Amino acid sequence: MARRGSTDTPTPVGAARSVARQAQPATDQPTWTVPLEASRSAHVCALLSAQVQRLAVQLGDTVAEGDTLIWLDDQELRLVAAKANLAYQQATAHLDRAAQLHARGGLSTQDLETLRFQAETARLRWDQARLDLSRTTIQAPMRGVVAECPVQVGDLTHPGQVLCRLIQVEAVKATLYLPLEWLTRVRLHQPVHGRPLAVPDLVMAGRISRVSPILDPNNGCGPVEVFFARAG
């Protein structure tokens, strides 16, 4: 870790794919072995219960924001939307005729307002039906790589279920857990360098992106996040 007040000396970080015990700092240039993870990820969840009809992606696929990932069965919801649309059209037509009748004095204002309320209720039901129907097409909320896709064709989803996880591999991060004596020596944007254990000759330049002010009461350490703009 860089000395306090230093601006040029980077802190070395050994980056591993699995969690390893931290090396205790013995010099002013300590090394920690920590896991690397994507700096940004997204869990794509189901918003309704429906059967998985088709998968558009598989593990490792690269997707753009807005790309379709999964199609859910929409047959029943299409029927619901069609009925809601018909009910809205009927309520609107009835309201239009009632408005003309009211203008000639043949219908009370209270009855007209009741019909307006019914028409608005029908419109809201149609809007909800269209929204539910749109949710059967699962789209990517960001560009990235498919890291997980735990569902298969024929599975029945439920609201909140994770259908897919996307990660962005252009940048990675590592979290160090430092004791108080080292937390006082680090600061935001301090340079850090790391070497993946699988590719020890590769040096990754990074900077400290977050320093927690809170210590874990069990071990007296606080998390420090290191951001690497490029994974290699």
Side-chain angles (χ1 to χ4, degrees):
M1 191 65 65
R3 295 177 184 271
R4 188 185 301 180
S6 170
T7 58
D8 299 323
T9 305
T11 298
V13 175
R17 290 183 178 274
S18 60
V19 178
R21 179 175 297 180
Q22 295 181 151
Q24 293 299 321
T27 70
D28 284 341
Q29 290 293 321
T31 297
W32 284 269
T33 300
V34 294
L36 286 177
E37 56 184 305
S39 63
R40 186 184 178 196
S41 64
H43 288 88
V44 184
C45 299
L47 297 176
L48 46 76
S49 295
Q51 192 174 52
V52 177
Q53 187 176 60
R54 185 155 63 99
L55 302 177
V57 295
Q58 57 185 357
L59 293 181
D61 283 354
T62 299
V63 299
E65 182 178 349
D67 282 356
T68 297
L69 305 174
I70 300 171
W71 283 278
L72 303 179
D73 182 23
D74 63 357
Q75 184 175 358
E76 182 177 350
L77 291 176
R78 284 186 180 277
L79 181 60
V80 171
K83 290 181 177 179
N85 184 23
L86 179 60
Y88 174 58
Q89 292 179 0
Q90 290 176 334
T92 301
H94 193 186
L95 178 61
D96 290 342
R97 291 193 297 270
Q100 296 175 7
L101 186 60
H102 176 266
R104 296 194 297 268
L107 185 70
S108 69
T109 300
Q110 182 177 358
D111 289 341
L112 181 62
E113 289 301 319
T114 298
L115 293 175
R116 283 176 177 166
F117 175 79
Q118 293 174 351
E120 179 63 15
T121 300
R123 184 189 67 80
L124 292 175
R125 287 174 178 167
W126 184 38
D127 287 347
Q128 183 64 55
R130 289 187 296 171
L131 178 60
D132 289 342
L133 184 60
S134 71
R135 289 172 171 171
T136 61
T137 301
I138 311 300
Q139 296 180 316
M142 68 176 194
R143 62 178 176 82
V145 176
V146 179
E148 296 178 23
C149 191
V151 295
Q152 299 178 350
V153 173
D155 288 351
L156 183 63
T157 67
H158 57 81
Q161 178 183 355
V162 175
L163 304 180
C164 191
R165 186 169 76 93
L166 303 178
I167 62 173
Q168 290 186 347
V169 296
E170 296 88 348
V172 294
K173 65 181 179 180
T175 303
L176 310 175
Y177 292 89
L178 306 183
L180 180 60
E181 61 180 301
W182 282 99
L183 281 175
T184 59
R185 302 188 184 191
V186 300
R187 62 192 177 281
L188 287 176
H189 312 303
Q190 184 174 351
V192 176
H193 70 257
R195 295 177 182 271
L197 295 182
V199 191
D201 293 335
L202 174 63
V203 178
M204 299 165 50
R207 291 188 177 274
I208 293 177
S209 56
R210 294 181 183 176
V211 179
S212 174
I214 301 176
L215 298 179
D216 187 325
N218 295 318
N219 56 27
C221 294
V224 174
E225 186 177 277
V226 181
F227 178 83
F228 298 96
R230 293 176 180 267

